[in-house]
Amino acid sequence: MGSRFHPGARSMSTSDMPTQEQLVLWGPAAAAFLLVAIGVLWRLSRNVVTIAHEGGHALVAVLTGRRLSGIKLHSDTSGLTVSRGRPTGPGMVFTAMAGYVAPSLLGLGFALLVVGDQVRLMLWLSIALLAAVLVMTRNVFGVISVIATGAILVWVSFYASDPVRDACAFGFCWFLLFGGVRPVWELQVKRWRRQARGSDADILARLTPVPALAWVLLFLVVSVGSLVLGGGLLLGR
């Protein structure tokens, strides 16, 4: 059967997509990549990833029955989560393992919400998680960091226009996905230089028969896998 040509119709290609839709699709990804890839921007934005990292430790500590004492976030973008309980065993292992995978898994989960047209839910959930971290934060810089991040998300959720809200939601997902990969690489660089003897990977090596390098590789597989899966979802959207 031959095809028919309609003078007023034409096929839709990528180049025919509305400009606004292209910006929402690719702009946030590019912006998030630059925030993570450029050193000076990364030093400013990395605190958000640290919040997710320490929040991961805290959440798993609570879920495994440990008593959470507090969270500290420092101006050098490092952080510390203190919990009480058995110094060994599965609870301690899962708590130590949660930090480096938390930003990536959070980004993947948020990407699922965004592609499911649940942008507001994603933003509200982010605000709720930040509020939970804020309650357990025990230093001034940490409180300021969490409040500043939460204030931006509150503004986006309640006051931004729909296109801006969508773009910010996409960008936040991309930032967590990209931002989950770089700290793993930085961790291994510090380990090569013998500057991270107390890292999560080294703690896990002491708690288990698995060497620290294997834990770093596990962190890398989770972070890169989340980036591939989450990125595919966002670009497919």
Side-chain angles (χ1 to χ4, degrees):
M1 180 180 293
S3 61
R4 295 182 178 180
F5 173 72
H6 297 278
R10 61 192 180 97
S11 61
M12 192 72 168
S13 66
T14 303
S15 61
D16 297 323
M17 292 171 63
T19 301
Q20 186 181 68
E21 187 173 338
Q22 286 181 327
L23 288 175
V24 170
L25 188 63
W26 294 103
F33 178 79
L34 292 176
L35 283 174
V36 174
I38 298 176
V40 63
L41 298 178
W42 175 239
R43 285 191 292 273
L44 293 173
S45 60
R46 196 185 192 279
N47 281 313
V48 177
V49 175
T50 302
I51 292 171
H53 179 115
E54 300 304 329
H57 283 313
L59 176 62
V60 175
V62 172
L63 292 177
T64 56
R66 299 180 62 80
R67 296 186 301 277
L68 185 62
S69 298
I71 298 171
K72 289 185 177 181
L73 306 168
H74 305 299
S75 58
D76 63 354
T77 72
S78 66
L80 176 67
T81 298
V82 178
S83 62
R84 300 185 183 279
R86 288 184 57 192
T88 59
M92 188 62 196
V93 171
F94 285 118
T95 298
M97 187 172 58
Y100 276 98
V101 300
S104 296
L105 294 178
L106 194 61
L108 178 58
F110 284 172
L112 287 168
L113 290 175
V114 167
V115 300
D117 293 324
Q118 299 296 326
V119 170
R120 283 189 181 274
L121 177 60
M122 185 274 279
L123 292 169
W124 293 343
L125 183 58
S126 301
I127 295 167
L129 291 173
L130 284 170
V133 171
L134 179 62
V135 170
M136 296 306 302
T137 301
R138 296 292 183 261
N139 66 324
V140 175
F141 180 83
V143 169
I144 293 173
S145 297
V146 175
I147 290 177
T149 305
I152 294 171
L153 292 176
V154 167
W155 181 86
V156 170
S157 179
F158 292 98
Y159 301 106
S161 63
D162 288 342
V164 171
R165 185 183 302 114
D166 290 346
C168 289
F170 271 71
F172 191 39
C173 292
W174 277 114
F175 177 72
L176 289 172
L177 292 169
F178 283 128
V181 177
R182 180 163 177 171
V184 179
W185 169 252
E186 293 175 340
L187 167 63
Q188 187 55 34
V189 170
K190 288 182 178 180
R191 293 190 67 256
W192 281 330
R193 297 172 179 172
R194 300 184 183 279
Q195 297 174 344
R197 296 182 182 277
S199 71
D200 293 351
D202 292 283
I203 291 173
L204 286 163
R206 292 193 291 269
L207 291 170
T208 69
V210 181
L213 181 59
W215 288 108
V216 175
L217 291 175
L218 175 62
F219 298 157
L220 187 63
V221 168
V222 172
S223 60
V224 173
S226 297
L227 174 59
V228 172
L229 291 174
L233 288 169
L234 294 171
L235 293 178
R237 177 67 174 85

